[in-house]
Amino acid sequence: MKYPIFKEKSLLFITIFFLGWGFVQAQDNTLSKKEKKAGWQLLFDGKTTTGWKGAFTDNFPTKGWKIENGLLEVDANGGAESADGGDIVTLKEYDNFELKVDFKLTKGANSGVKYFVAPQQATPASPRSAFGLEFQLLDDAVHPDAKLGKNGNRTISSLYDLIPAIDNKPTKPIGDWNTLKIVSNGTHIEHWLNGVMVLTYERGSQKFNDLITNSKYKNIPGFGLGEKGRILLQEHGFKVYFKNIKIKETKFMPDTRTGKLLKEIPGVVSFTYRHSFEKNFSATLDTIKSLGITNIEFSNLFGQKSEDIKKMLDEREMICTSFGVNYDDLVKNVEQVGKNAKKLGAKFVRVAWIPHNKTTLTIEITKQAVTDFNTAGKLLKDKYGLTFCYHNHGFDMQTYNGKTFFDYLMANTNPEYVSFELDILWAFHPGKNPVELMKKYGSRFKLMHVKDLRRGILGDLTGATPVENDVALGSGQINIPAVIKEAQKIGIKYFYIEDESKAVNLQVPVSLTFLKNL
């Protein structure tokens, strides 16, 4: 008697499941109440081509495109650019906006979503795509274009032929749906892929103009500089699917803004630009200033005199708030450390390493560090008015008597003379939660290094990891919003972006924008 009942319930469950699945699927190409209230508008209703036309014609293409099962599809036609139906563009032009598009690539596919496409472009003599800034869509593993261009600037989610996306972009497998987002705010542009910001840039900046000069667009007057333009979906002769194409027009927000969590634009650690500082100190300051960053924690004088650095900073309306030195200088040359810090205008002195034998920290070494930190911290405060901070570095999370050496440092250093700088990567990498550390030790933390760890990397207690494991904020393993929220609660004075990778010119702008958007 029980079997039929079980069978009926099973059938009912299966029926409900598939009905529910169908209901979820039916939500494609629609807007939720929340989206409508926020100002989102559909650019594709899943049924018609309303709002679109050919890039060089007055009507929608009669071939090369079709709508089937709620999807806008590009037909395969040998992979030639715009040789079948040609690109399609919106009838309307946009300036400040957020654009979202779901797309699915087939094996070897090449396509793109362009923006700021000028409407007055002349019809070309032979088929080609209309000019515009392009969010590249590509099967990086198969299509040869991925290996062309420079430094990967033709791979998926890159600004085509100009700026590569970060290398840890979260691309889904071919045949799965991806979601892109493009944000335009005045001259500021962001590319997002599957919820992660992968690049950002400023249209019309010197860096942007230099990139144009060295690209395929160099002979196109005013490329990418229009005040507004159309949105374009590219027909490149490969099977590609689009759905849930939606846009929200926004009001311009000044690029100096910060979000709800950060009150001031964060600083940067000089180590991030160490290679540039070694080559041209003043030009590196200009690069940092061009990002809108005016606060630097110097971890090296790079052969300069501290008073000369202060002069260069003053000329650029920049400041140094913290001065990093090595352990030996703190112990043996603390007077000179204090003098240099004061000449730089710094308020803090920081040490980020305790010398020890390879990966083994001992209680004897830690006790000596406590003594050295207390002694140096007292002198720096009493004589120079400076606050000394120890910066955690992973190896200090090794355990001793059921607690970590970091706990020992916290418990035995004098809070009046020793504070701490929390490096969130070097807390996370050895298995600690930066938020929990802040909850535990509160105002002992005065400064913070904000950085992120590449997904899939397993940490350890060595205090070391390859530099390529430093990734743009928001693209790694650490919950950055939660960290910043708790940091604000405990009163962190200064936040510094630190990026030890070789891709700082790509990653630092993304990290900065990510923090400003929180």
Side-chain angles (χ1 to χ4, degrees):
M1 294 295 294
K2 290 184 178 180
Y3 176 75
I5 295 176
F6 173 78
K7 185 175 181 180
E8 288 178 7
K9 288 183 177 180
S10 298
L11 290 172
L12 179 61
F13 172 79
I14 293 170
T15 301
I16 292 173
F17 173 82
F18 279 104
L19 284 173
W21 182 84
F23 176 78
V24 171
Q25 292 298 100
Q27 301 311 296
D28 282 343
N29 307 311
T30 61
L31 296 175
S32 67
K33 290 182 179 180
K34 184 178 181 180
E35 287 176 318
K36 290 178 181 178
K37 186 175 181 180
W40 286 93
Q41 297 179 322
L42 285 176
L43 293 182
F44 172 58
D45 61 11
K47 301 175 183 178
T48 70
T49 61
T50 301
W52 296 85
K53 72 177 198 69
F56 297 109
T57 64
D58 293 330
N59 301 309
F60 195 88
T62 57
K63 61 178 182 177
W65 295 84
K66 65 182 177 183
I67 297 173
E68 196 170 87
N69 298 320
L71 306 180
L72 180 58
E73 303 177 17
V74 185
D75 288 333
N77 188 36
E81 182 179 299
S82 299
D84 197 5
D87 302 340
I88 59 172
V89 296
T90 56
L91 298 180
K92 187 174 180 178
E93 296 178 65
Y94 300 91
D95 47 14
N96 301 311
F97 61 84
E98 288 185 31
L99 172 71
K100 291 183 180 180
V101 181
D102 288 351
F103 66 93
K104 182 168 66 172
L105 301 176
T106 55
K107 186 175 181 179
N110 182 3
S111 186
V113 176
K114 298 187 181 184
Y115 49 101
F116 285 99
V117 177
Q120 66 274 17
Q121 297 182 36
T123 302
S126 57
R128 67 161 173 80
S129 183
F131 298 135
L133 299 165
E134 180 178 353
F135 187 116
Q136 169 78 318
L137 306 183
L138 195 77
D139 179 356
D140 290 346
V142 176
H143 197 284
D145 215 17
K147 295 179 176 61
L148 302 178
K150 298 178 181 178
N151 303 316
N153 66 4
R154 294 187 179 184
T155 58
I156 189 169
S157 71
S158 295
L159 176 62
Y160 179 75
D161 208 49
L162 295 172
I163 304 175
I166 57 175
D167 70 354
N168 59 321
K169 55 199 172 189
T171 309
K172 293 184 180 179
I174 297 300
D176 286 0
W177 285 99
N178 292 266
T179 299
L180 69 82
K181 182 172 76 169
I182 300 168
V183 177
S184 170
N185 179 52
T187 60
H188 177 76
I189 303 293
E190 300 168 15
H191 283 194
W192 293 69
L193 181 63
N194 297 321
V196 172
M197 191 190 313
V198 295
L199 68 81
T200 181
Y201 67 97
E202 303 294 326
R203 295 188 300 130
S205 66
Q206 186 60 53
K207 180 179 179 181
F208 178 83
N209 293 338
D210 290 344
L211 289 169
I212 296 296
T213 300
N214 294 295
S215 76
K216 64 186 293 183
Y217 308 116
K218 60 184 178 182
N219 295 322
I220 304 173
F223 178 80
L225 300 179
E227 292 185 3
K228 58 183 179 178
R230 290 171 170 163
I231 308 299
L232 176 150
L233 301 182
Q234 189 179 46
E235 184 266 298
H236 211 305
F238 293 94
K239 193 69 172 178
V240 179
Y241 303 86
F242 299 98
K243 67 177 181 178
N244 297 326
I245 308 170
K246 60 188 74 171
I247 197 165
K248 178 173 72 172
E249 296 185 79
T250 56
K251 294 182 179 180
F252 170 72
M253 295 289 288
D255 62 5
T256 55
R257 78 194 196 288
T258 53
K260 295 180 180 179
L261 288 182
L262 279 181
K263 308 303 179 186
E264 296 180 356
I265 293 175
V268 69
V269 184
S270 67
F271 191 76
T272 299
Y273 290 94
R274 59 198 179 278
H275 302 304
S276 296
F277 272 121
E278 290 166 356
K279 295 176 182 178
N280 191 323
F281 193 95
S282 61
T284 305
L285 289 180
D286 292 335
T287 295
I288 295 171
K289 179 66 182 294
S290 71
L291 294 172
I293 297 174
T294 57
N295 181 9
I296 301 179
E297 179 185 64
F298 277 98
S299 51
N300 195 320
L301 296 180
F302 300 99
Q304 306 286 328
K305 293 181 179 180
S306 52
E307 55 266 35
D308 292 338
I309 292 177
K310 181 64 164 62
K311 182 180 179 181
M312 286 186 276
L313 291 172
D314 289 344
E315 290 171 349
R316 294 163 174 79
E317 298 183 320
M318 300 175 76
I319 58 174
C320 166
T321 50
S322 178
F323 178 43
V325 299
N326 63 44
Y327 189 98
D328 284 345
D329 280 342
L330 183 77
V331 174
K332 300 175 182 178
N333 302 305
V334 66
E335 291 278 3
Q336 189 60 49
V337 166
K339 291 176 182 177
N340 282 336
K342 292 298 288 185
K343 289 177 182 178
L344 287 169
K347 299 177 181 179
F348 295 87
V349 168
R350 176 265 291 166
V351 162
W353 193 264
I354 299 172
H356 57 285
N357 183 23
K358 295 184 179 179
T359 61
T360 303
L361 190 61
T362 66
I363 188 59
E364 291 76 22
I365 292 174
T366 307
K367 286 180 177 180
Q368 184 61 52
V370 167
T371 300
D372 292 338
F373 290 167
N374 283 334
T375 301
K378 184 178 189 305
L379 186 145
L380 290 170
K381 181 177 181 180
D382 292 347
K383 189 170 183 177
Y384 297 99
L386 297 164
T387 299
F388 170 71
C389 289
Y390 171 68
H391 162 305
N392 61 292
H393 216 293
F395 62 84
D396 38 32
M397 298 301 172
Q398 297 174 48
T399 57
Y400 168 76
N401 283 351
K403 294 187 177 181
T404 67
F405 288 113
F406 186 77
D407 291 327
Y408 188 91
L409 290 169
M410 277 284 188
N412 292 278
T413 51
N414 188 335
E416 188 175 352
Y417 303 126
V418 180
S419 296
F420 290 79
E421 179 173 59
L422 177 60
D423 186 302
I424 64 175
L425 184 149
W426 291 121
F428 185 89
H429 188 266
K432 301 299 178 182
N433 184 334
V435 172
E436 294 304 315
L437 284 176
M438 285 187 282
K439 288 181 177 179
K440 184 175 182 179
Y441 292 116
S443 61
R444 289 298 299 276
F445 291 113
K446 297 293 191 294
L447 309 174
M448 177 177 287
H449 280 188
V450 191
K451 51 211 296 191
D452 211 342
L453 181 66
R454 185 179 294 272
R455 294 182 185 275
I457 297 300
L458 299 178
D460 53 37
L461 297 168
T462 62
T465 191
V467 295
E468 58 266 24
N469 291 337
D470 272 34
V471 296
L473 299 179
S475 70
Q477 301 183 50
I478 302 175
N479 186 343
I480 304 297
V483 168
I484 300 300
K485 185 176 181 179
E486 186 62 30
Q488 293 288 24
K489 286 182 181 179
I490 68 170
I492 291 291
K493 180 65 175 175
Y494 295 115
F495 297 86
Y496 305 102
I497 295 171
E498 185 177 37
D499 190 326
E500 300 184 22
S501 76
K502 298 178 182 179
V504 295
N505 290 329
L506 295 177
Q507 295 186 174
V508 171
V510 172
S511 294
L512 178 62
T513 301
F514 180 85
L515 289 175
K516 289 167 67 176
N517 285 343
L518 291 178

